[in-house]
Amino acid sequence: MMTLPLSADMAMTTAMTTAATPTPATAAATAASDFVARRQFAPCYIWLDIMFLVLYAALLLWRRRRMTVLVGLVAGLLYFAVDFGIFHLALHTRSISPNASLFWVLAWMSMSYGFTNFSWIWLYLRRDDRLVEWSTLIFGWWFCAPLITQTITSRFLPAQAADPIVIQRTTGAYHGWMALILFAGYAALVVYNLGFAARPALRVDIRWLLVCGIGIQFAWELALLLGGIRSAGLSAAQSLRPLVIDSLLETNLGMPYVYLIFLAVSARWHEDLGARTPALSLAQSLEASNMSRRPFTVAAIRGGRRPTD
């Protein structure tokens, strides 16, 4: 995709830096940890992505993944509340090019990545028997959508290619708080495993959560970077920091809390939204979750095929 002129690019970055560092006294401290997370895309990209979201949700409903769809919708609303309410209104870390509405672009972005991220997480946590297919669909779209958009805009919509939407945020105002949430969540899991898990079956598999939290965000960041959406107009070093830091932090910080919600929801409802009778305790739900991750052994095969809900 084409980039903004250098003067406009510099002006935008300067404005964002000023908003994130309101006083000279805080500038030096912020510079060490702050970086710009930027996305650049044609409006065509938004409409293509909306069509994919409708298709993806329809496939989930067709395969009776109703709880997954509900979780994705709630997550999209939560993403928007955080992105628009906190990052923009409270912290003033968001900016957008003059050719687009910050409210509506953030509404789409939040629902798009909130829905796909958290539906993928939910499918992973429940060890969905079609996880490979769902994962291929999500990552395949994340990677292919920018390339499809580039071809369409360059051939049929040159005005959009020449004037893309650029949206960005700085991170120094909030990444420390996110790191605190990350550490507190995983520290609580460590304390629980060390002092309160009476049996191995009641321990939380922290490695399993880390793979999900880091892996899904990394897939998202990598696909956007390779497709020219993420960090457009920035240097290689500036592009690398969001890839690494966001992957370790931004989705991963929620995994201990999301897993607790997953256990609580799974204890009372099936994936098709039917009530579980009788309901399970949290300990029973955790043990059932751990049992579903048994290795492929003769004993596991004799125990029967694990149900998908």
Side-chain angles (χ1 to χ4, degrees):
M1 284 189 181
M2 296 181 65
T3 60
L4 290 177
L6 182 59
S7 58
D9 221 21
M10 292 177 64
M12 199 171 185
T13 302
T14 301
M16 283 301 304
T17 303
T18 302
T21 57
T23 64
T26 60
T30 303
S33 61
D34 205 7
F35 61 85
V36 175
R38 176 184 298 172
R39 295 184 201 178
Q40 177 175 300
F41 46 85
C44 174
Y45 179 77
I46 297 177
W47 296 110
L48 290 176
D49 190 65
I50 290 173
M51 288 189 288
F52 167 76
L53 291 175
V54 172
L55 172 64
Y56 175 45
L59 289 174
L60 288 171
L61 292 173
W62 174 49
R63 301 305 301 175
R64 298 173 64 85
R65 271 54 171 189
R66 296 169 185 166
M67 183 64 74
T68 300
V69 172
L70 180 60
V71 168
L73 291 173
V74 172
L77 295 174
L78 178 62
Y79 264 46
F80 181 70
V82 172
D83 217 348
F84 189 79
I86 298 178
F87 293 168
H88 174 57
L89 294 180
L91 301 178
H92 309 291
T93 62
R94 276 288 188 190
S95 73
I96 196 168
S97 52
N99 61 341
S101 163
L102 183 62
F103 179 88
W104 289 112
V105 171
L106 283 182
W108 157 72
M109 282 175 50
S110 299
M111 187 55 66
S112 175
Y113 291 103
F115 186 86
T116 50
N117 262 20
F118 273 84
S119 63
W120 196 359
I121 289 171
W122 201 261
L123 293 166
Y124 177 92
L125 292 180
R126 65 182 299 270
R127 303 292 282 189
D128 192 280
D129 63 341
R130 299 296 186 185
L131 183 60
V132 172
E133 287 83 358
W134 299 122
S135 301
T136 301
L137 182 68
I138 294 170
F139 181 76
W141 176 250
W142 284 348
F143 174 72
C144 293
L147 304 179
I148 295 171
T149 302
Q150 289 173 18
T151 297
I152 292 175
T153 54
S154 63
R155 186 172 179 84
F156 303 107
L157 302 168
Q160 289 193 14
D163 189 25
I165 297 170
V166 179
I167 184 168
Q168 66 181 35
R169 59 184 165 90
T170 52
T171 62
Y174 58 85
H175 259 183
W177 297 112
M178 296 176 78
L180 179 61
I181 296 171
L182 171 72
F183 182 79
Y186 277 103
L189 294 184
V190 169
V191 171
Y192 167 78
N193 278 357
L194 291 176
F196 298 94
R199 296 178 284 113
L202 293 177
R203 293 175 190 163
V204 176
D205 190 342
I206 296 176
R207 298 169 300 175
W208 184 60
L209 297 184
L210 287 169
V211 168
C212 181
I214 297 173
I216 287 179
Q217 183 75 30
F218 180 79
W220 172 10
E221 295 288 343
L222 180 64
L224 291 178
L225 183 62
L226 294 177
I229 300 291
R230 171 67 88 194
S231 302
L234 301 180
S235 67
Q238 290 172 318
S239 301
L240 185 62
R241 292 192 70 188
L243 176 67
V244 176
I245 296 177
D246 287 359
S247 298
L248 293 172
L249 179 62
E250 294 206 349
T251 295
N252 193 33
L253 72 87
M255 287 307 300
Y257 313 99
V258 172
Y259 188 49
L260 179 61
I261 294 171
F262 169 79
L263 294 177
V265 169
S266 299
R268 291 163 176 79
W269 290 281
H270 295 287
E271 177 63 21
D272 63 1
L273 298 183
R276 187 181 293 278
T277 307
L280 305 177
S281 67
L282 273 179
Q284 290 171 327
S285 185
L286 173 58
E287 189 166 6
S289 177
N290 284 334
M291 290 288 287
S292 72
R293 296 196 304 277
R294 279 182 175 177
F296 189 77
T297 62
V298 173
I301 295 172
R302 287 176 180 171
R305 185 178 182 272
R306 181 182 66 81
T308 61
D309 113 324

